[in-house]
Amino acid sequence: MRKDALRYLRCPHCLDTMVMTDGALRCNLGHTFDMAKQGYVNLLRGAAKFSADTADMVAARADFLAAGHYAPVAEALSALARDTAPVPSSGDPGCVVDIGGGTGYYQARVMSELPLSEGILLDISKFAARRAARAHPRISAVVADAWDTLPFVDGAASVVLNVFAPRNPAELRRILRPEGVLLVVTPQPDHLRELVDALGLLRVDEQKDERLAGRFATHFTEVARVRSRSTMSLDHKALPQLVGMGPNAWHQQGGGLEERISLLPEPCDVTLSVTLTAYRPLA
């Protein structure tokens, strides 16, 4: 946890500001949060609403992303951040917040485009936070629930990232500055289409974009939309990593994945298809 990032955080219990002393964060009312030796701080308030990614899921994601399979998404997100982020002031430029940011793969790319900003990544998984704390020198990692009240002060962020992750529009609006931008990445219906039936993967709702727009309409206005579509060439080592790194991991019934993968060609051409949308907060 970087001291320069602390000004953007608040106590999840009493909403007071916090200071860093003796390897812990403390507020004026005495709530204390120890910093893990791996570099993250746990600000989780009570039981989470959903299960956190396991160590195996996070490891699968780290290996899959490190191989560059989702690099087109990271590159498109970085470019959109560069084009839409507010011009930093000479005082406080605000931070780059990544909600449900996992291992920090996407945020690290964006931070290279915004050299004056602090980065704070939030994820419910301590295993993800451990990796995120090492993803970039200016990223501080926090364990917290994206569905709960976020542990950020009002207007903390100049940029908020939300990549394949949960989103609470009201809270995202609260933590975003009036001139800030929210960047959301969502899968398209043809995303991973070659694997949906073959491996029993979750299907993307055909109306996903419309539902997202409806949820955001009372808090944000859309200012840009980019489509990223490409083809990945995946071997039989990458395929179980892809299945095991996200929500599909929770929906695999029993064994058989290895056998189903063995029936696919190697390498297997798989569609990578997402939409990147930029939003400004409504006044």
Side-chain angles (χ1 to χ4, degrees), residues 9 33 56 105 110 132 160 196 216 238 261 279:
L9 295 172
F33 309 91
D56 287 343
Y105 173 77
V110 171
V160 175
V196 171
F216 276 65
I261 288 176
Y279 295 92

PDB file of all heavy atoms in Angstrom, residues 9 33 56 105 110 132 160 196 216 238 261 279:
ATOM      1  N   LEU A   9      -8.762   6.630   0.164  1.00  0.00           N
ATOM      2  CA  LEU A   9      -9.485   5.578   0.856  1.00  0.00           C
ATOM      3  C   LEU A   9     -10.163   6.109   2.112  1.00  0.00           C
ATOM      4  O   LEU A   9      -9.784   7.144   2.655  1.00  0.00           O
ATOM      5  CB  LEU A   9      -8.535   4.441   1.239  1.00  0.00           C
ATOM      6  CG  LEU A   9      -7.899   3.667   0.088  1.00  0.00           C
ATOM      7  CD1 LEU A   9      -6.841   2.696   0.616  1.00  0.00           C
ATOM      8  CD2 LEU A   9      -8.956   2.916  -0.711  1.00  0.00           C
ATOM      9  N   PHE A  33      -6.625  -1.937  10.270  1.00  0.00           N
ATOM     10  CA  PHE A  33      -6.554  -2.912   9.186  1.00  0.00           C
ATOM     11  C   PHE A  33      -5.086  -3.191   8.899  1.00  0.00           C
ATOM     12  O   PHE A  33      -4.366  -2.323   8.390  1.00  0.00           O
ATOM     13  CB  PHE A  33      -7.255  -2.374   7.936  1.00  0.00           C
ATOM     14  CG  PHE A  33      -8.643  -1.858   8.214  1.00  0.00           C
ATOM     15  CD1 PHE A  33      -8.833  -0.522   8.534  1.00  0.00           C
ATOM     16  CD2 PHE A  33      -9.736  -2.711   8.180  1.00  0.00           C
ATOM     17  CE1 PHE A  33     -10.101  -0.044   8.804  1.00  0.00           C
ATOM     18  CE2 PHE A  33     -11.002  -2.240   8.458  1.00  0.00           C
ATOM     19  CZ  PHE A  33     -11.191  -0.908   8.770  1.00  0.00           C
ATOM     20  N   ASP A  56      -6.341 -21.297  -7.297  1.00  0.00           N
ATOM     21  CA  ASP A  56      -6.196 -21.956  -8.597  1.00  0.00           C
ATOM     22  C   ASP A  56      -6.772 -21.097  -9.719  1.00  0.00           C
ATOM     23  O   ASP A  56      -6.188 -21.022 -10.816  1.00  0.00           O
ATOM     24  CB  ASP A  56      -6.898 -23.318  -8.572  1.00  0.00           C
ATOM     25  CG  ASP A  56      -6.150 -24.353  -7.758  1.00  0.00           C
ATOM     26  OD1 ASP A  56      -4.958 -24.136  -7.477  1.00  0.00           O
ATOM     27  OD2 ASP A  56      -6.758 -25.380  -7.400  1.00  0.00           O
ATOM     28  N   TYR A 105      -3.625  -6.975 -14.339  1.00  0.00           N
ATOM     29  CA  TYR A 105      -3.120  -7.012 -15.711  1.00  0.00           C
ATOM     30  C   TYR A 105      -3.579  -5.798 -16.518  1.00  0.00           C
ATOM     31  O   TYR A 105      -2.770  -5.129 -17.177  1.00  0.00           O
ATOM     32  CB  TYR A 105      -3.587  -8.307 -16.384  1.00  0.00           C
ATOM     33  CG  TYR A 105      -3.276  -8.412 -17.857  1.00  0.00           C
ATOM     34  CD1 TYR A 105      -1.996  -8.719 -18.285  1.00  0.00           C
ATOM     35  CD2 TYR A 105      -4.273  -8.227 -18.815  1.00  0.00           C
ATOM     36  CE1 TYR A 105      -1.710  -8.832 -19.647  1.00  0.00           C
ATOM     37  CE2 TYR A 105      -3.993  -8.337 -20.176  1.00  0.00           C
ATOM     38  CZ  TYR A 105      -2.710  -8.637 -20.582  1.00  0.00           C
ATOM     39  OH  TYR A 105      -2.428  -8.745 -21.919  1.00  0.00           O
ATOM     40  N   VAL A 110      -3.014   0.460 -18.188  1.00  0.00           N
ATOM     41  CA  VAL A 110      -3.574   1.809 -18.157  1.00  0.00           C
ATOM     42  C   VAL A 110      -2.660   2.765 -17.399  1.00  0.00           C
ATOM     43  O   VAL A 110      -2.500   3.931 -17.794  1.00  0.00           O
ATOM     44  CB  VAL A 110      -4.985   1.776 -17.536  1.00  0.00           C
ATOM     45  CG1 VAL A 110      -5.502   3.188 -17.285  1.00  0.00           C
ATOM     46  CG2 VAL A 110      -5.944   1.021 -18.439  1.00  0.00           C
ATOM     47  N   ALA A 132      -1.878  -8.447  -7.621  1.00  0.00           N
ATOM     48  CA  ALA A 132      -2.082  -7.070  -8.055  1.00  0.00           C
ATOM     49  C   ALA A 132      -1.123  -6.113  -7.372  1.00  0.00           C
ATOM     50  O   ALA A 132      -0.691  -5.124  -7.970  1.00  0.00           O
ATOM     51  CB  ALA A 132      -3.522  -6.652  -7.782  1.00  0.00           C
ATOM     52  N   VAL A 160     -12.184   5.197 -13.578  1.00  0.00           N
ATOM     53  CA  VAL A 160     -12.593   3.925 -12.983  1.00  0.00           C
ATOM     54  C   VAL A 160     -12.618   2.876 -14.077  1.00  0.00           C
ATOM     55  O   VAL A 160     -13.208   3.082 -15.148  1.00  0.00           O
ATOM     56  CB  VAL A 160     -13.971   4.014 -12.309  1.00  0.00           C
ATOM     57  CG1 VAL A 160     -14.420   2.640 -11.818  1.00  0.00           C
ATOM     58  CG2 VAL A 160     -13.945   4.995 -11.140  1.00  0.00           C
ATOM     59  N   VAL A 196     -18.421 -22.568 -26.383  1.00  0.00           N
ATOM     60  CA  VAL A 196     -19.622 -22.564 -25.538  1.00  0.00           C
ATOM     61  C   VAL A 196     -20.269 -23.942 -25.487  1.00  0.00           C
ATOM     62  O   VAL A 196     -20.509 -24.492 -24.398  1.00  0.00           O
ATOM     63  CB  VAL A 196     -20.632 -21.505 -26.035  1.00  0.00           C
ATOM     64  CG1 VAL A 196     -21.958 -21.650 -25.303  1.00  0.00           C
ATOM     65  CG2 VAL A 196     -20.064 -20.106 -25.812  1.00  0.00           C
ATOM     66  N   PHE A 216     -27.128   1.997 -16.207  1.00  0.00           N
ATOM     67  CA  PHE A 216     -26.241   3.146 -16.049  1.00  0.00           C
ATOM     68  C   PHE A 216     -26.930   4.476 -16.354  1.00  0.00           C
ATOM     69  O   PHE A 216     -26.388   5.541 -16.040  1.00  0.00           O
ATOM     70  CB  PHE A 216     -25.020   2.986 -16.959  1.00  0.00           C
ATOM     71  CG  PHE A 216     -23.921   2.160 -16.369  1.00  0.00           C
ATOM     72  CD1 PHE A 216     -24.101   0.813 -16.108  1.00  0.00           C
ATOM     73  CD2 PHE A 216     -22.699   2.717 -16.059  1.00  0.00           C
ATOM     74  CE1 PHE A 216     -23.099   0.049 -15.558  1.00  0.00           C
ATOM     75  CE2 PHE A 216     -21.685   1.960 -15.500  1.00  0.00           C
ATOM     76  CZ  PHE A 216     -21.887   0.617 -15.250  1.00  0.00           C
ATOM     77  N   ALA A 238      -3.704 -23.852 -22.766  1.00  0.00           N
ATOM     78  CA  ALA A 238      -4.373 -22.576 -22.528  1.00  0.00           C
ATOM     79  C   ALA A 238      -5.877 -22.737 -22.308  1.00  0.00           C
ATOM     80  O   ALA A 238      -6.492 -21.966 -21.573  1.00  0.00           O
ATOM     81  CB  ALA A 238      -4.124 -21.630 -23.702  1.00  0.00           C
ATOM     82  N   ILE A 261     -11.769 -31.193 -24.034  1.00  0.00           N
ATOM     83  CA  ILE A 261     -10.720 -30.405 -24.678  1.00  0.00           C
ATOM     84  C   ILE A 261      -9.940 -31.260 -25.673  1.00  0.00           C
ATOM     85  O   ILE A 261      -9.564 -30.796 -26.765  1.00  0.00           O
ATOM     86  CB  ILE A 261      -9.781 -29.799 -23.621  1.00  0.00           C
ATOM     87  CG1 ILE A 261     -10.497 -28.671 -22.859  1.00  0.00           C
ATOM     88  CG2 ILE A 261      -8.494 -29.271 -24.267  1.00  0.00           C
ATOM     89  CD1 ILE A 261      -9.689 -28.075 -21.737  1.00  0.00           C
ATOM     90  N   TYR A 279     -17.983   6.179 -20.095  1.00  0.00           N
ATOM     91  CA  TYR A 279     -19.103   6.924 -19.537  1.00  0.00           C
ATOM     92  C   TYR A 279     -18.591   8.141 -18.762  1.00  0.00           C
ATOM     93  O   TYR A 279     -17.570   8.070 -18.077  1.00  0.00           O
ATOM     94  CB  TYR A 279     -19.906   6.064 -18.563  1.00  0.00           C
ATOM     95  CG  TYR A 279     -20.601   4.878 -19.162  1.00  0.00           C
ATOM     96  CD1 TYR A 279     -19.965   3.634 -19.186  1.00  0.00           C
ATOM     97  CD2 TYR A 279     -21.876   4.967 -19.691  1.00  0.00           C
ATOM     98  CE1 TYR A 279     -20.593   2.510 -19.716  1.00  0.00           C
ATOM     99  CE2 TYR A 279     -22.518   3.851 -20.219  1.00  0.00           C
ATOM    100  CZ  TYR A 279     -21.866   2.635 -20.228  1.00  0.00           C
ATOM    101  OH  TYR A 279     -22.501   1.528 -20.748  1.00  0.00           O
TER     102      TYR A 279
END
